[in-house]
Amino acid sequence: MTLGKTIDGKAFAEKLRGRVAVGVADFVAKTGRKPGLAVVLVGEDPASSVYVRSKGKATVEVGMESLEFKRPATISQEELLELVEELNGDPSVDGILVQLPLPKHLDDAEVIARINPAKDVDGFHVVNAGKLAVGDPTALVPCTPMGCLMLLKDELGDLSGKEAVVIGRSNIVGKPMAALLLGESCTVTIAHSRTHDLAGVVHRADIVVAAVGRPEMVKGSWIKPGATVIDVGINRVPADEEGKTKIVGDVDTAGAISHCAGITPVPGGVGPMTIAVLLRNTLVAASAREGLPMPEGL
Ligand code: NDP
């Protein structure tokens, strides 16, 4: 076994986007319309604005319709819910994504609960979370963990019987990741801030998914030789050059790379997969709404 491989999420995401584009062309040929993704951005948060711009660009690049709804940070909860209802009822909209976090006076959970689950391409609605939990294949699955699973299957093939440790139990990454790995018949442990002997727990794993939000917390020495590591973390830290910052993951990549079979880099690993899976989910949702079968190869 060759140790120390970097798993190129950027290249895989490009391939996935190519497959989505083929599926979109087929969808257009069959239905005479493009799948539509509506993205709602509330306020002027610079990071959210960048995400929304790149989502819009990627959506158009695969041949889908991108609809952006920018609203001021002063929007009321009622007005935002009305917008969601409008999009629920709009036949040209197949996917609805409300960019989070919302300004503090707004209730994220109520907004997500109002999205039609069939258009919930982020997979955050409890109906989709429930479908994932019971193994219903019609679930729309959160993009980041779905992207992680795709990378793992591409690297390892059959995951059945493997020991998987997911660090983090958030509703958007940790829990759905664990459910996906269980669905692949892994033996799954979910670790979190109350876990005792995290190093020992991680050392058992053939697959480690770190979704914590703590820079380079998972040390190389914790990783079992030959394990595959998926680093979901995105942490901004000071760079060597004064006044500059850089992005690092939750895993000490330099320390882990000599122990592991493969590891996703940060940036360039899981990050690019998230938007690619969003596009995939939009095509899946559009196909389901039109009564078409699940697009091939996705
Ligand atoms: P949350 O803050 O919602 O969850 C973090 C989880 O980490 C919690 O379950 C928490 O445990 C656990 N945790 C915190 N400290 C420790 C510790 N010392 N030991 C073990 N577990 C700990 O984060 P998210 O799930 O939203 O995101 C996680 C990371 O992934 C972030 O860096 C985020 O930026 C990144 N991310 C990246 C995406 C991408 O596209 N690449 C998309 C989404 C997120 P507890 O529940 O006990 O508090």
Side-chain angles (χ1 to χ4, degrees):
M1 183 186 305
T2 326
L3 294 182
K5 180 182 175 226
T6 293
I7 300 170
D8 189 347
K10 200 165 167 229
F12 188 91
E14 255 172 54
K15 276 194 267 170
L16 178 58
R17 280 149 72 144
R19 295 205 298 270
V20 172
V22 170
V24 169
D26 188 47
F27 179 92
V28 173
K30 284 180 175 140
T31 65
R33 71 172 186 92
K34 294 178 179 182
L37 173 62
V39 179
V40 177
L41 175 63
V42 178
E44 306 281 332
D45 178 64
S48 293
S49 303
V50 170
Y51 284 136
V52 167
R53 257 203 310 281
S54 46
K55 282 170 187 169
K57 189 166 163 272
T59 306
V60 171
E61 275 170 11
V62 294
M64 298 200 270
E65 202 73 62
S66 166
L67 305 136
E68 278 180 28
F69 297 84
K70 292 190 180 158
R71 294 294 183 268
T74 51
I75 192 172
S76 70
Q77 180 78 3
E78 289 65 35
E79 286 167 324
L80 185 55
L81 293 176
E82 267 170 39
L83 173 59
V84 168
E85 287 298 356
E86 237 174 76
L87 298 174
N88 282 342
D90 184 336
S92 68
V93 171
D94 298 288
I96 302 170
L97 181 152
V98 177
Q99 185 66 41
L100 301 177
L102 292 170
K104 288 211 171 9
H105 69 284
L106 299 170
D107 178 352
D108 298 15
E110 193 187 14
V111 173
I112 291 165
R114 197 63 75 85
I115 296 173
N116 175 352
K119 296 188 177 188
D120 168 41
V121 284
D122 253 342
F124 294 165
H125 195 287
V126 286
V127 165
N128 284 313
K131 283 183 171 184
L132 175 61
V134 299
D136 180 334
T138 67
L140 285 166
V141 177
C143 303
T144 300
M146 186 66 175
C148 296
L149 183 72
M150 286 178 171
L151 289 176
L152 282 168
K153 286 172 82 168
D154 188 57
E155 280 301 306
L156 301 172
D158 183 14
L159 305 183
S160 160
K162 295 199 182 294
E163 284 276 348
V165 170
V166 179
I167 319 173
R169 55 173 162 178
S170 72
N171 291 334
I172 62 168
V173 190
K175 282 182 198 150
M177 186 74 244
L180 286 169
L181 290 167
L182 189 60
E184 297 296 324
S185 300
C186 291
T187 302
V188 184
T189 303
I190 307 177
H192 45 76
S193 66
R194 307 291 178 89
T195 297
H196 295 299
D197 185 22
L198 185 60
V201 170
V202 168
H203 202 70
R204 295 205 297 262
D206 305 309
I207 293 170
V208 180
V209 181
V212 185
R214 288 180 182 255
E216 299 178 332
M217 186 195 81
V218 177
K219 302 301 169 208
S221 58
W222 300 5
I223 307 294
K224 177 167 117 177
T228 300
V229 183
I230 304 290
D231 190 352
V232 183
I234 301 176
N235 309 289
R236 190 168 283 283
V237 297
D240 295 339
E241 203 180 328
E242 211 182 302
K244 298 259 163 125
T245 60
K246 61 177 180 175
I247 302 284
V248 299
D250 290 340
V251 182
D252 164 25
T253 311
I257 199 142
S258 59
H259 291 71
C260 64
I263 183 166
T264 55
V266 179
V270 174
M273 288 300 291
T274 300
I275 291 187
V277 175
L278 173 68
L279 304 174
R280 175 240 182 226
N281 279 1
T282 305
L283 178 59
V284 166
S287 303
R289 288 187 62 234
E290 294 287 351
L292 296 171
M294 171 89 174
E296 268 173 54
L298 295 177

